[in-house]
Amino acid sequence: MVESFTALDANLDALDRQGTSAQRVTADAWLPIMQRVLARSEAEGAQGSALAINEADAILLSTAQARDMLVTVAIVCALASVALFLLLYFTLTRPLVRLAQWMFMAREGQPILAGKQMVSELQILHDAAVSLSDTHLALRRARNQLEQLAHADALTGLANCRSFQMQGVQAVAHAQRYTSPLSLVVLDIDHFKKINDLYGHEGGDTVLKAVGHYFLEAVRDADQPVARMGGEEFALLLARAPLAEAVLVAERMRLAIECLQVVMPNGKALHFTTSLGVAQFRVEDVDLNTLMRRADQALYKAKEHGRNRVEADG
């Protein structure tokens, strides 16, 4: 392009000096330049056209794939609907219609010649009813298992944080309504990161399982279960327990866990300790989270004072 402008300036100067005699010279000079410009334009245009065609082909291809997918889904849904309709028709609708016809014939005093067929239809209905009952029971068991999994910690078998929050809200509401005491104990395994570093995550899981087993055996109040809040932290709500009583419970828990002996994956026996924080629900507490924050503060105080101890809020 710079070459074209330079040639243009030179030709304009020649025309200005020589007039019409310079036209042939100008034409001869501009002809190869214009040919190159036209060739470049054609190349750019061809490249742009090719890109546009490729984009259009890609759009058409994706549209065709989406259409094929929709058609496939529609066919599968239609086949499933037909199969379900036929199943219901042959196992429920047709036997019921035939039995209704035979009952009408019997009421009118007409002879029923298809006795064996009636027995067969009744057997079909019986089998369908049994199948539906078994399916209903299976679905109920599956739903109960899903609900249990949704509210339980898979590693320890204790309640999970979600379950604790749900039941904790109810416990706080009960304490507010009836002005009954409610205390919270939070527990943290001391130096748990060091256990993981020494024995790996398998060793850490072994310790967590041991704590979970202890709580499952020691605390059997289903209304206020012990929950694993995440990591190495556990929590327990004690309904109708004032602060002093909750501190005694926490101390018994600390001593019991200190006496536990856990066998690590490498065969070595391990003893470990815990730190606990206790807080009692107050009238000015807004909700469960307020109570948990005060219990956590007491837990941090226990860690600051050397761990393997119980600290109470206030």
Side-chain angles (χ1 to χ4, degrees):
M1 295 300 293
V2 175
E3 179 185 356
S4 301
F5 285 115
T6 302
L8 176 61
D9 292 338
N11 290 327
L12 289 175
D13 291 339
L15 287 172
D16 184 52
R17 293 192 306 269
Q18 300 176 16
T20 57
S21 62
Q23 291 181 359
R24 180 174 298 276
V25 177
T26 300
D28 293 339
W30 268 92
L31 181 59
I33 296 175
M34 293 303 298
Q35 288 176 342
R36 289 198 299 270
V37 171
L38 290 174
R40 180 67 179 274
S41 299
E42 289 177 357
E44 295 290 342
Q47 185 177 3
S49 299
L51 290 175
I53 291 172
N54 291 336
E55 292 294 333
D57 290 341
I59 293 173
L60 290 175
L61 179 60
S62 61
T63 303
Q65 291 174 345
R67 180 196 60 200
D68 294 341
M69 184 179 296
L70 289 175
V71 171
T72 302
V73 171
I75 292 174
V76 171
C77 291
L79 292 176
S81 299
V82 171
L84 180 61
F85 170 78
L86 292 176
L87 177 64
L88 292 176
Y89 174 76
F90 284 107
T91 59
L92 292 176
T93 306
R94 189 180 71 170
L96 286 173
V97 171
R98 288 185 176 179
L99 288 174
Q101 292 174 346
W102 290 328
M103 292 177 65
F104 177 78
M105 293 171 62
R107 189 181 64 180
E108 296 294 327
Q110 300 178 14
I112 301 176
L113 302 178
K116 293 183 178 181
Q117 189 175 1
M118 179 185 295
V119 174
S120 177
E121 299 291 352
L122 286 172
Q123 185 63 43
I124 292 175
L125 284 175
H126 175 267
D127 294 342
V130 171
S131 178
L132 288 174
S133 177
D134 293 342
T135 302
H136 176 70
L137 291 176
L139 289 174
R140 179 183 295 179
R141 286 195 295 267
R143 183 187 64 184
N144 292 337
Q145 291 176 354
L146 288 174
E147 289 180 353
Q148 184 177 2
L149 290 174
H151 294 86
D153 176 60
L155 181 64
T156 62
L158 302 175
N160 58 16
C161 183
R162 176 186 178 188
S163 177
F164 177 83
Q165 290 285 345
M166 293 174 59
Q167 298 197 40
V169 170
Q170 297 176 0
V172 167
H174 183 275
Q176 289 175 325
R177 182 175 182 180
Y178 298 101
T179 63
S180 59
L182 173 67
S183 294
L184 170 64
V185 179
V186 292
L187 175 150
D188 198 275
I189 299 174
D190 293 332
H191 305 294
F192 186 73
K193 184 179 182 303
K194 184 177 180 181
I195 296 176
N196 272 331
D197 293 339
L198 290 176
Y199 303 101
H201 289 290
E202 184 179 357
D205 289 348
T206 301
V207 171
L208 292 173
K209 290 178 182 178
V211 175
H213 179 74
Y214 160 73
F215 280 129
L216 290 174
E217 293 294 324
V219 182
R220 300 181 179 274
D221 188 353
D223 293 332
Q224 305 294 340
V226 181
R228 181 189 175 199
M229 302 302 290
E232 68 275 20
E233 185 174 347
F234 300 81
L236 169 64
L237 275 170
L238 297 173
R240 299 175 297 277
L243 183 63
E245 181 180 340
V247 169
L248 292 177
V249 171
E251 182 62 24
R252 289 198 297 268
M253 291 164 52
R254 184 192 67 80
L255 291 173
I257 294 176
E258 187 180 12
C259 294
L260 293 178
Q261 179 174 292
V262 181
V263 179
M264 291 288 98
N266 61 0
K268 182 179 179 180
L270 174 71
H271 291 275
F272 59 93
T273 61
T274 55
S275 299
L276 301 94
V278 186
Q280 181 178 348
F281 185 77
R282 300 173 181 172
V283 178
E284 62 269 21
D285 288 340
V286 178
D287 51 21
L288 176 65
N289 291 330
T290 307
L291 175 61
M292 292 187 66
R293 280 195 294 270
R294 293 196 292 106
D296 283 336
Q297 291 172 358
L299 172 62
Y300 296 147
K301 188 187 300 183
K303 291 183 178 182
E304 291 175 355
H305 291 172
R307 294 186 172 85
N308 190 24
R309 59 185 295 121
V310 176
E311 290 285 349
D313 173 67

